[in-house]
Amino acid sequence: MKRYVIKRPAGAPDRFARYREELNAEQFAAVTAPAGPVLVIAGAGSGKTRAITYRVAYLIEQGIAPGRIMLATFTNRAAREMLRRVEQLTGGGSNVSRKVWGGTFHRIANLILRRHAESIGYDNNYSILDAEDARDLLSVCVAEAGVDTRARRFPKAEVLQDIISFATNTDQPIPDVVARRYPYFEPLTEQIKRVDAVYMERKRARNVMDYDDLLLNWKRLLMEKDEVARLYAEQFEHILVDEYQDTNKLQAEIVDLLAVRHRNVMVVGDDAQSIFAWRGAEWANIYEFPQRYPDARQYRLETNYRSTPEILSVANVSIAANRKQFPKELRAVRPSLNAPPALVACSDADQQATFVAARVLELREEGVPLTEIAVLYRSHYHSLELQLELTRRGIPYRIRSGVRFFEQAHIKDVLAYLRLVANPRDELAWQRVLKLIPNIGPATAGRIWEQLAFAPDPLALVTSGGADNAARRGTTWTEFRALIAELARDEVRHSPSRQIELVLARGYEAYLAATYENADARLEDLRQLAQYSARYNSTEEFLAELALISTERYSAPQPLTGEDVVSGGDEDEILTLTSVHQAKGLEWRAVFIIWAADGRFPAPRSLREAEGEEEERRLWYVALTRARDQLYLTYPLLSTDYNRQTVVQRPSRFITEVPPELYELWQLEEELDALIAAPEVKEDEPGGYLN
């Protein structure tokens, strides 16, 4: 075959001159990489999205038809933004965004399945179940599978959904997933498999697919239908995948099947930011890419446009401790601000909260708006004391990691037990608690309350058996009566900590396991709540404090769901509190990482896994690299364990792995003590903190 190169007319401008002007040398090399498999390791803040966008534009300007390019992203919004920019770069108008196969894996799967669903037993007009619809159908399938949910506490639909979804996306058998992630349901494995079989058949019969089916059936098409596989292997001349470190096994297998013809697959991501193994992401996809594609070219984007050199110094040293990684060294474009990351040891959790709140207000006075400040933590319960402190000081904040701590369903459930003992005429508390009892729904709960409402002593009526007829007596009701009697005992009723522990031990822990896919995290929340409540002299005092916090609002109340971002105050002025997982991809001028103590970050349960510590270190690295100008690492020197014993806290191992000279050590003193000990402290020293 003879090659013919079309020459430019004499004097024609260099079409890619602006690429050289608008991209750095690393980005330009990746964007203009020759055909073939390509791995782009894109460090934090290195312009990854820019590189992918210019790569698509480059391919189109090289003569690749837009319809022969597939761009897989993790949000459809990201794909739209990238393709909009491609249109600007190429001058191709809206034809580009319409013709490029861009979007999430699920979106592209749907486009393909609409054409070929009939070949795998579905009609092309199939419906897609959202998460809630899928849970409702699973509940129907439990009954159809003949599972006796009363004989043994059977997992609720949300947990079944997680088991089946995780097995699908990681290509593991259900028994393996149950044994590893839900060992307390191992005796029920055969029933769970039976429910899954009924669920799959029901979906086919009703011509519906859930989100996981879109990927599973896409892979089936490519594996089972040779003509379809050949069609799309030929069609997708170039495949680009963003955030490749977050793909699961199923997604990586689909990419490999599509790339078998042309092998022009470019995957872009950062192995050091792979932090979602708990939801099925397979870190090995990016780490083992060179093994699957031995001829792959590797490019590294290590020029960081986000953070100061001091912040990057700590991040680089920290991630270097991971054995399995693609080594990289982030280099700062920005000049030094002479502000090394601050390491702040606090006396306890309360002082930690006080320091963060005080420093946030100082930063605002120094010209850093609240919207440019974030507080990051490993687990949601770490924000407990801080939320209370921020509310007391009137500092508006929003939670990106879910609803506010005290507004979560499991927290409200347990507090309802305490409320009904403190005030036996609290109808809402009774209704909430009664509906937690198996086989008691709204109607039965209403009948029980009708009896309690007119009783001189509702607690005594329940514990004496006076409400048994309305409650449809059974083992669970008898256990509930015994629990209420125990909570109302004089030695217990004034100790919120003991009450919470009793509620957990007498059934609520088992309820969590059967109801929520993240039961372990919710249980940890409640144990921390029990520890926190021990500081109060009575249950009434504890509940009053929480009630005042809960009614503090910076905007009109609105319905809450588990995924809501609760916010208040002027949108221009609001502090962000977030888990590190939810912070990925975001950045702020000033970042606080709280509870940076061993046993809290890294999380103990994550260390049970063989690769757990390295994933936790990657999570720490993500936290560090969210900060642009200022970074504060705080931890309490003392805390209380589950037995209410005082424990000395050590700084996180991720802190001590870094040479101390890379930090600025801050010593905290209360204002009055500081004035007495050091009256000569000048006014311009920040808040009297000694460093």
Side-chain angles (χ1 to χ4, degrees), residues 344-357 375 381-390 392 528 531-532 535 594-597 600 634-640 646-647 649 668 670:
V344 188
C346 309
S347 60
D348 54 25
D350 288 332
Q351 189 183 55
Q352 178 177 245
T354 302
F355 163 70
V356 171
V375 181
Y381 72 82
H382 291 164
S383 66
L384 190 158
E385 293 87 1
L386 181 59
Q387 289 190 48
L388 292 169
E389 183 65 24
L390 293 173
R392 292 188 192 106
Q528 292 299 320
Q531 289 183 31
Y532 178 79
R535 69 183 65 189
I594 62 174
W595 279 101
R600 305 300 177 108
T634 74
Y635 67 96
L637 291 167
L638 299 175
S639 67
T640 307
T646 300
V647 176
Q649 294 275 175
L668 300 187
E670 300 296 334

Short mmCIF file of all heavy atoms in Angstrom, two decimals, residues 344-357 375 381-390 392 528 531-532 535 594-597 600 634-640 646-647 649 668 670:
data_model
loop_
_atom_site.label_atom_id
_atom_site.label_comp_id
_atom_site.label_asym_id
_atom_site.label_seq_id
_atom_site.Cartn_x
_atom_site.Cartn_y
_atom_site.Cartn_z
N VAL A 344 -1.13 21.17 63.61
CA VAL A 344 -1.72 21.76 64.82
C VAL A 344 -2.20 20.64 65.74
O VAL A 344 -3.18 19.95 65.43
CB VAL A 344 -2.90 22.68 64.46
CG1 VAL A 344 -3.37 23.44 65.70
CG2 VAL A 344 -2.52 23.66 63.35
N ALA A 345 -1.49 20.45 66.84
CA ALA A 345 -1.92 19.49 67.86
C ALA A 345 -2.86 20.19 68.82
O ALA A 345 -2.51 21.24 69.38
CB ALA A 345 -0.72 18.92 68.60
N CYS A 346 -4.05 19.63 69.03
CA CYS A 346 -5.05 20.23 69.91
C CYS A 346 -5.20 19.36 71.16
O CYS A 346 -4.93 18.16 71.12
CB CYS A 346 -6.39 20.34 69.19
SG CYS A 346 -6.29 21.14 67.56
N SER A 347 -5.63 19.97 72.23
CA SER A 347 -5.73 19.21 73.47
C SER A 347 -6.79 18.10 73.36
O SER A 347 -6.59 17.00 73.84
CB SER A 347 -6.06 20.14 74.65
OG SER A 347 -7.29 20.80 74.42
N ASP A 348 -7.92 18.41 72.72
CA ASP A 348 -8.98 17.41 72.55
C ASP A 348 -9.84 17.82 71.37
O ASP A 348 -9.57 18.81 70.67
CB ASP A 348 -9.82 17.28 73.83
CG ASP A 348 -10.37 18.61 74.32
OD1 ASP A 348 -10.54 19.55 73.49
OD2 ASP A 348 -10.66 18.74 75.52
N ALA A 349 -10.91 17.06 71.14
CA ALA A 349 -11.76 17.32 69.97
C ALA A 349 -12.45 18.67 70.06
O ALA A 349 -12.67 19.33 69.04
CB ALA A 349 -12.79 16.21 69.83
N ASP A 350 -12.79 19.09 71.27
CA ASP A 350 -13.45 20.39 71.43
C ASP A 350 -12.51 21.53 71.05
O ASP A 350 -12.92 22.49 70.38
CB ASP A 350 -13.94 20.57 72.87
CG ASP A 350 -15.15 19.68 73.16
OD1 ASP A 350 -15.89 19.37 72.22
OD2 ASP A 350 -15.33 19.32 74.33
N GLN A 351 -11.25 21.44 71.49
CA GLN A 351 -10.31 22.50 71.12
C GLN A 351 -10.04 22.49 69.61
O GLN A 351 -9.85 23.53 68.99
CB GLN A 351 -9.00 22.38 71.90
CG GLN A 351 -8.10 23.60 71.69
CD GLN A 351 -6.77 23.52 72.38
OE1 GLN A 351 -6.01 22.57 72.17
NE2 GLN A 351 -6.45 24.50 73.21
N GLN A 352 -10.01 21.30 69.03
CA GLN A 352 -9.84 21.20 67.59
C GLN A 352 -10.95 21.97 66.87
O GLN A 352 -10.70 22.74 65.94
CB GLN A 352 -9.84 19.73 67.15
CG GLN A 352 -9.72 19.52 65.66
CD GLN A 352 -9.66 18.04 65.29
OE1 GLN A 352 -8.66 17.56 64.79
NE2 GLN A 352 -10.73 17.32 65.57
N ALA A 353 -12.20 21.75 67.31
CA ALA A 353 -13.33 22.45 66.70
C ALA A 353 -13.24 23.95 66.93
O ALA A 353 -13.51 24.75 66.02
CB ALA A 353 -14.64 21.90 67.27
N THR A 354 -12.84 24.34 68.13
CA THR A 354 -12.71 25.76 68.45
C THR A 354 -11.64 26.41 67.58
O THR A 354 -11.83 27.53 67.06
CB THR A 354 -12.35 25.95 69.93
OG1 THR A 354 -13.36 25.34 70.74
CG2 THR A 354 -12.25 27.41 70.29
N PHE A 355 -10.50 25.74 67.42
CA PHE A 355 -9.43 26.28 66.59
C PHE A 355 -9.88 26.47 65.15
O PHE A 355 -9.66 27.52 64.54
CB PHE A 355 -8.20 25.37 66.62
CG PHE A 355 -7.24 25.64 65.50
CD1 PHE A 355 -6.49 26.82 65.47
CD2 PHE A 355 -7.11 24.75 64.44
CE1 PHE A 355 -5.63 27.09 64.42
CE2 PHE A 355 -6.25 25.01 63.38
CZ PHE A 355 -5.51 26.19 63.37
N VAL A 356 -10.51 25.44 64.58
CA VAL A 356 -10.92 25.53 63.18
C VAL A 356 -11.90 26.68 62.99
O VAL A 356 -11.76 27.48 62.06
CB VAL A 356 -11.53 24.19 62.71
CG1 VAL A 356 -12.15 24.35 61.32
CG2 VAL A 356 -10.48 23.10 62.69
N ALA A 357 -12.90 26.76 63.88
CA ALA A 357 -13.89 27.84 63.75
C ALA A 357 -13.24 29.21 63.87
O ALA A 357 -13.53 30.13 63.09
CB ALA A 357 -14.98 27.67 64.81
N VAL A 375 -13.30 22.17 55.13
CA VAL A 375 -12.83 21.28 56.19
C VAL A 375 -13.06 19.85 55.70
O VAL A 375 -14.18 19.48 55.35
CB VAL A 375 -13.58 21.50 57.50
CG1 VAL A 375 -13.04 20.57 58.59
CG2 VAL A 375 -13.47 22.96 57.94
N TYR A 381 -18.54 11.16 60.96
CA TYR A 381 -18.69 11.47 62.39
C TYR A 381 -17.58 12.36 62.92
O TYR A 381 -17.70 12.96 63.98
CB TYR A 381 -18.80 10.18 63.22
CG TYR A 381 -17.53 9.38 63.35
CD1 TYR A 381 -16.56 9.72 64.31
CD2 TYR A 381 -17.28 8.27 62.56
CE1 TYR A 381 -15.40 8.98 64.44
CE2 TYR A 381 -16.13 7.53 62.68
CZ TYR A 381 -15.19 7.89 63.63
OH TYR A 381 -14.04 7.16 63.77
N HIS A 382 -16.47 12.47 62.18
CA HIS A 382 -15.38 13.35 62.62
C HIS A 382 -15.82 14.81 62.67
O HIS A 382 -15.17 15.62 63.33
CB HIS A 382 -14.18 13.23 61.67
CG HIS A 382 -13.49 11.91 61.75
ND1 HIS A 382 -12.61 11.47 60.78
CD2 HIS A 382 -13.54 10.92 62.67
CE1 HIS A 382 -12.16 10.27 61.11
NE2 HIS A 382 -12.71 9.92 62.24
N SER A 383 -16.90 15.15 61.99
CA SER A 383 -17.33 16.55 61.96
C SER A 383 -18.31 16.88 63.08
O SER A 383 -18.81 18.01 63.15
CB SER A 383 -17.99 16.86 60.61
OG SER A 383 -19.20 16.12 60.46
N LEU A 384 -18.58 15.94 63.96
CA LEU A 384 -19.61 16.11 64.99
C LEU A 384 -19.38 17.36 65.83
O LEU A 384 -20.23 18.27 65.89
CB LEU A 384 -19.65 14.84 65.86
CG LEU A 384 -20.77 14.63 66.87
CD1 LEU A 384 -20.90 13.14 67.17
CD2 LEU A 384 -20.53 15.38 68.16
N GLU A 385 -18.24 17.43 66.51
CA GLU A 385 -17.97 18.59 67.38
C GLU A 385 -17.89 19.88 66.59
O GLU A 385 -18.35 20.94 67.06
CB GLU A 385 -16.66 18.38 68.15
CG GLU A 385 -16.66 17.27 69.17
CD GLU A 385 -16.31 15.92 68.57
OE1 GLU A 385 -16.04 15.86 67.36
OE2 GLU A 385 -16.30 14.93 69.33
N LEU A 386 -17.33 19.81 65.39
CA LEU A 386 -17.18 21.02 64.59
C LEU A 386 -18.54 21.57 64.17
O LEU A 386 -18.75 22.79 64.18
CB LEU A 386 -16.32 20.73 63.36
CG LEU A 386 -16.07 21.93 62.45
CD1 LEU A 386 -15.37 23.06 63.19
CD2 LEU A 386 -15.25 21.52 61.23
N GLN A 387 -19.47 20.71 63.79
CA GLN A 387 -20.79 21.20 63.40
C GLN A 387 -21.46 21.95 64.55
O GLN A 387 -22.08 22.99 64.35
CB GLN A 387 -21.68 20.04 62.94
CG GLN A 387 -21.27 19.46 61.59
CD GLN A 387 -22.30 18.48 61.06
OE1 GLN A 387 -23.49 18.75 61.04
NE2 GLN A 387 -21.84 17.32 60.62
N LEU A 388 -21.31 21.43 65.75
CA LEU A 388 -21.87 22.11 66.91
C LEU A 388 -21.21 23.47 67.13
O LEU A 388 -21.87 24.48 67.38
CB LEU A 388 -21.71 21.24 68.17
CG LEU A 388 -22.54 19.95 68.20
CD1 LEU A 388 -22.09 19.06 69.34
CD2 LEU A 388 -24.02 20.27 68.34
N GLU A 389 -19.88 23.51 67.01
CA GLU A 389 -19.15 24.76 67.23
C GLU A 389 -19.49 25.80 66.17
O GLU A 389 -19.67 26.98 66.47
CB GLU A 389 -17.64 24.48 67.24
CG GLU A 389 -16.76 25.69 67.54
CD GLU A 389 -16.96 26.24 68.94
OE1 GLU A 389 -17.41 25.48 69.84
OE2 GLU A 389 -16.67 27.44 69.14
N LEU A 390 -19.57 25.38 64.92
CA LEU A 390 -19.92 26.32 63.85
C LEU A 390 -21.31 26.89 64.06
O LEU A 390 -21.56 28.08 63.83
CB LEU A 390 -19.83 25.62 62.49
CG LEU A 390 -18.45 25.18 62.03
CD1 LEU A 390 -18.55 24.35 60.76
CD2 LEU A 390 -17.53 26.38 61.80
N ARG A 392 -22.91 27.22 66.95
CA ARG A 392 -22.87 28.16 68.09
C ARG A 392 -22.34 29.52 67.67
O ARG A 392 -22.81 30.56 68.15
CB ARG A 392 -21.98 27.59 69.20
CG ARG A 392 -22.53 26.36 69.90
CD ARG A 392 -21.68 26.00 71.11
NE ARG A 392 -22.02 24.69 71.63
CZ ARG A 392 -21.26 23.61 71.49
NH1 ARG A 392 -20.11 23.69 70.85
NH2 ARG A 392 -21.64 22.45 71.99
N GLN A 528 -19.70 6.78 68.14
CA GLN A 528 -19.10 8.08 68.44
C GLN A 528 -20.12 9.01 69.09
O GLN A 528 -19.78 9.79 69.97
CB GLN A 528 -18.57 8.72 67.15
CG GLN A 528 -17.38 8.00 66.54
CD GLN A 528 -16.19 7.97 67.48
OE1 GLN A 528 -15.90 8.94 68.16
NE2 GLN A 528 -15.49 6.85 67.52
N GLN A 531 -20.18 8.15 72.69
CA GLN A 531 -19.03 8.74 73.39
C GLN A 531 -19.24 10.23 73.62
O GLN A 531 -18.99 10.76 74.70
CB GLN A 531 -17.76 8.54 72.56
CG GLN A 531 -17.26 7.12 72.53
CD GLN A 531 -15.97 7.00 71.75
OE1 GLN A 531 -15.17 7.92 71.72
NE2 GLN A 531 -15.76 5.87 71.10
N TYR A 532 -19.71 10.90 72.58
CA TYR A 532 -19.89 12.35 72.69
C TYR A 532 -20.94 12.70 73.75
O TYR A 532 -20.77 13.65 74.52
CB TYR A 532 -20.32 12.91 71.33
CG TYR A 532 -20.57 14.39 71.35
CD1 TYR A 532 -19.51 15.30 71.31
CD2 TYR A 532 -21.86 14.90 71.45
CE1 TYR A 532 -19.72 16.66 71.35
CE2 TYR A 532 -22.09 16.26 71.49
CZ TYR A 532 -21.02 17.14 71.43
OH TYR A 532 -21.23 18.49 71.49
N ARG A 535 -20.56 13.43 77.85
CA ARG A 535 -20.17 14.68 78.51
C ARG A 535 -21.37 15.40 79.14
O ARG A 535 -21.18 16.35 79.89
CB ARG A 535 -19.50 15.61 77.51
CG ARG A 535 -20.41 16.16 76.42
CD ARG A 535 -19.66 17.01 75.42
NE ARG A 535 -18.70 16.22 74.67
CZ ARG A 535 -17.79 16.73 73.86
NH1 ARG A 535 -17.72 18.04 73.70
NH2 ARG A 535 -16.96 15.95 73.20
N ILE A 594 -9.08 17.56 59.46
CA ILE A 594 -9.23 17.35 60.90
C ILE A 594 -9.15 15.85 61.24
O ILE A 594 -9.28 15.00 60.38
CB ILE A 594 -10.53 17.96 61.43
CG1 ILE A 594 -11.76 17.31 60.76
CG2 ILE A 594 -10.54 19.47 61.17
CD1 ILE A 594 -13.10 17.76 61.35
N TRP A 595 -8.92 15.59 62.51
CA TRP A 595 -8.77 14.22 63.01
C TRP A 595 -7.68 13.47 62.23
O TRP A 595 -7.85 12.30 61.86
CB TRP A 595 -10.09 13.45 62.95
CG TRP A 595 -11.01 13.76 64.09
CD1 TRP A 595 -12.09 14.58 64.08
CD2 TRP A 595 -10.90 13.27 65.44
NE1 TRP A 595 -12.68 14.64 65.32
CE2 TRP A 595 -11.97 13.84 66.18
CE3 TRP A 595 -10.00 12.42 66.09
CZ2 TRP A 595 -12.15 13.58 67.53
CZ3 TRP A 595 -10.20 12.16 67.44
CH2 TRP A 595 -11.27 12.74 68.14
N ALA A 596 -6.57 14.16 61.99
CA ALA A 596 -5.44 13.54 61.29
C ALA A 596 -4.62 12.73 62.30
O ALA A 596 -3.44 13.00 62.54
CB ALA A 596 -4.58 14.61 60.63
N ALA A 597 -5.27 11.75 62.90
CA ALA A 597 -4.66 10.94 63.96
C ALA A 597 -4.70 9.47 63.56
O ALA A 597 -5.62 9.03 62.87
CB ALA A 597 -5.40 11.15 65.28
N ARG A 600 -7.85 7.13 63.14
CA ARG A 600 -8.94 7.89 62.52
C ARG A 600 -8.67 8.08 61.03
O ARG A 600 -9.55 7.98 60.21
CB ARG A 600 -9.11 9.25 63.21
CG ARG A 600 -9.31 9.18 64.72
CD ARG A 600 -10.54 8.37 65.10
NE ARG A 600 -10.69 8.26 66.54
CZ ARG A 600 -11.62 8.90 67.26
NH1 ARG A 600 -12.48 9.70 66.65
NH2 ARG A 600 -11.70 8.74 68.57
N THR A 634 -4.85 18.99 61.59
CA THR A 634 -5.12 19.05 63.03
C THR A 634 -5.47 17.67 63.57
O THR A 634 -6.04 16.83 62.87
CB THR A 634 -6.29 20.02 63.33
OG1 THR A 634 -7.52 19.41 62.95
CG2 THR A 634 -6.13 21.33 62.58
N TYR A 635 -5.13 17.47 64.84
CA TYR A 635 -5.53 16.24 65.52
C TYR A 635 -5.57 16.50 67.02
O TYR A 635 -4.81 17.34 67.53
CB TYR A 635 -4.57 15.09 65.21
CG TYR A 635 -3.18 15.26 65.77
CD1 TYR A 635 -2.82 14.67 66.98
CD2 TYR A 635 -2.22 16.01 65.09
CE1 TYR A 635 -1.54 14.82 67.50
CE2 TYR A 635 -0.95 16.17 65.60
CZ TYR A 635 -0.61 15.58 66.80
OH TYR A 635 0.66 15.74 67.33
N PRO A 636 -6.48 15.84 67.74
CA PRO A 636 -6.54 16.00 69.20
C PRO A 636 -5.52 15.10 69.89
O PRO A 636 -5.32 13.95 69.47
CB PRO A 636 -7.98 15.60 69.54
CG PRO A 636 -8.38 14.69 68.45
CD PRO A 636 -7.60 15.06 67.23
N LEU A 637 -4.90 15.60 70.93
CA LEU A 637 -3.93 14.80 71.68
C LEU A 637 -4.62 13.76 72.56
O LEU A 637 -4.06 12.71 72.86
CB LEU A 637 -3.07 15.71 72.55
CG LEU A 637 -2.09 16.62 71.78
CD1 LEU A 637 -1.52 17.68 72.71
CD2 LEU A 637 -0.97 15.79 71.17
N LEU A 638 -5.84 14.06 72.98
CA LEU A 638 -6.59 13.14 73.84
C LEU A 638 -7.96 12.88 73.24
O LEU A 638 -8.58 13.78 72.66
CB LEU A 638 -6.77 13.74 75.25
CG LEU A 638 -5.49 14.04 76.04
CD1 LEU A 638 -5.84 14.72 77.35
CD2 LEU A 638 -4.70 12.77 76.30
N SER A 639 -8.43 11.65 73.37
CA SER A 639 -9.79 11.32 72.96
C SER A 639 -10.32 10.26 73.91
O SER A 639 -9.62 9.80 74.81
CB SER A 639 -9.81 10.82 71.51
OG SER A 639 -9.15 9.57 71.42
N THR A 640 -11.57 9.87 73.69
CA THR A 640 -12.22 8.87 74.54
C THR A 640 -12.54 7.64 73.71
O THR A 640 -13.06 7.76 72.60
CB THR A 640 -13.51 9.44 75.15
OG1 THR A 640 -13.22 10.68 75.79
CG2 THR A 640 -14.12 8.48 76.15
N THR A 646 -9.83 7.59 78.66
CA THR A 646 -9.05 8.61 77.96
C THR A 646 -7.87 7.96 77.26
O THR A 646 -7.14 7.16 77.84
CB THR A 646 -8.56 9.69 78.93
OG1 THR A 646 -9.70 10.30 79.55
CG2 THR A 646 -7.74 10.75 78.20
N VAL A 647 -7.69 8.30 75.98
CA VAL A 647 -6.65 7.70 75.16
C VAL A 647 -5.77 8.82 74.60
O VAL A 647 -6.27 9.84 74.14
CB VAL A 647 -7.26 6.89 73.99
CG1 VAL A 647 -6.17 6.35 73.08
CG2 VAL A 647 -8.13 5.76 74.53
N GLN A 649 -3.68 10.31 71.71
CA GLN A 649 -3.69 10.17 70.26
C GLN A 649 -2.31 10.44 69.68
O GLN A 649 -1.62 11.36 70.09
CB GLN A 649 -4.68 11.17 69.63
CG GLN A 649 -6.13 10.92 69.98
CD GLN A 649 -6.78 9.91 69.07
OE1 GLN A 649 -7.91 9.53 69.27
NE2 GLN A 649 -6.07 9.46 68.06
N LEU A 668 -1.11 25.72 70.34
CA LEU A 668 -2.33 26.43 70.70
C LEU A 668 -2.34 26.81 72.17
O LEU A 668 -1.92 26.03 73.02
CB LEU A 668 -3.56 25.56 70.41
CG LEU A 668 -3.78 25.12 68.95
CD1 LEU A 668 -5.11 24.41 68.83
CD2 LEU A 668 -3.71 26.30 68.01
N GLU A 670 -5.14 28.99 74.93
CA GLU A 670 -6.38 29.74 75.08
C GLU A 670 -6.03 31.21 75.26
O GLU A 670 -4.98 31.56 75.81
CB GLU A 670 -7.19 29.23 76.27
CG GLU A 670 -7.59 27.77 76.17
CD GLU A 670 -8.53 27.50 75.00
OE1 GLU A 670 -9.23 28.45 74.58
OE2 GLU A 670 -8.53 26.36 74.49
#
